[in-house]
Amino acid sequence: MIDHVYCINLEKRPDRREKVSIEFSNAGIENVEFFKGTDGRLEAPDDISISKPEYGCSDSHIRIWKDVVEKGYETALIFEDDVYILPNFNEKFLQILQEIEIDPEWDYINLGPFSCSPIRQVTPNLIKGSSYGAHCYLISQRGARKLSVWETKDLHYCQDAQIARSPIKKYYVKNP
């Protein structure tokens, strides 16, 4: 069900790449593409509504969404390089993949939310609500197409807050 796995990493942070590589190895997550992150402190324009680090983070995610669309991946798993993978990740992940079958038209599933305000629990592990954070999530081709039209310079919020406010079909896990 997962066509591709990405991990956003700034080239100037090989320490994070090394640390998260150990996390992936311990969790049995293979074939991860380390995607060159945007360094907002160096690359962000001056006339933006978000901070330069938020610009870098948002731009990195948007470029991945464009890559998902361009390469035709139906489903991608995306990590940030500061993610901590819990020991039972694979078991929970398989449960999420089974439970999301209730909605074949999902766009986005946040696997490690912050400050989640549930609107409605739809399965034992999935809820609809609002959440922030994008350390680990699934995106469908449909969701990537919807979000990849964003231009980083035009965002008023970092991409995770923008997603929380967007009308895409998004789900969050009950427990990260």
Side-chain angles (χ1 to χ4, degrees):
M1 170 145 184
I2 305 304
D3 295 323
H4 200 68
V5 181
Y6 295 91
C7 182
I8 298 169
N9 175 249
L10 290 174
E11 285 184 323
K12 70 180 185 180
R13 294 302 305 265
D15 57 317
R16 282 189 172 189
R17 181 176 176 148
E18 185 177 319
K19 184 178 182 236
V20 77
S21 292
I22 293 168
E23 293 276 335
F24 292 144
S25 178
N26 290 341
I29 300 170
E30 300 175 342
N31 301 319
V32 177
E33 176 187 347
F34 282 90
F35 194 85
K36 181 184 172 193
T38 303
D39 189 339
R41 288 184 173 90
L42 300 176
E43 300 176 48
D46 290 327
D47 58 341
I48 54 176
S49 299
I50 56 179
S51 72
K52 289 183 181 258
E54 288 173 331
Y55 178 94
C57 185
S58 297
D59 191 65
S60 299
H61 286 273
I62 291 170
R63 288 187 307 106
I64 283 181
W65 303 334
K66 290 179 184 202
D67 197 62
V68 167
V69 171
E70 180 183 310
K71 292 182 177 163
Y73 299 134
E74 286 302 313
T75 306
L77 177 59
I78 301 166
F79 293 95
E80 292 180 345
D81 65 3
D82 58 348
V83 69
Y84 174 71
I85 301 172
L86 297 174
N88 59 351
F89 176 83
N90 290 328
E91 295 160 20
K92 282 186 163 186
F93 186 64
L94 290 173
Q95 289 173 345
I96 297 304
L97 292 176
Q98 290 172 349
E99 291 177 22
I100 198 57
E101 291 178 4
I102 64 159
D103 183 358
E105 295 187 6
W106 64 273
D107 293 319
Y108 175 91
I109 305 169
N110 190 324
L111 300 172
F114 297 117
S115 306
C116 193
S117 302
I119 291 176
R120 178 173 55 97
Q121 187 165 338
V122 292
T123 70
N125 293 298
L126 290 172
I127 58 173
K128 288 192 172 207
S130 290
S131 179
Y132 300 102
H135 294 324
C136 178
Y137 62 92
L138 280 169
I139 193 160
S140 69
Q141 173 66 215
R142 182 178 26 268
R145 280 194 316 266
K146 291 175 183 177
L147 299 178
S148 66
V149 299
W150 292 354
E151 293 294 331
T152 312
K153 64 180 177 49
D154 297 330
L155 295 181
H156 293 286
Y157 309 98
C158 193
Q159 96 289 342
D160 60 338
Q162 196 81 28
I163 288 170
R165 291 170 168 82
S166 74
I168 65 171
K169 292 185 85 177
K170 56 191 173 280
Y171 293 88
Y172 302 90
V173 293
K174 185 176 178 184
N175 298 303

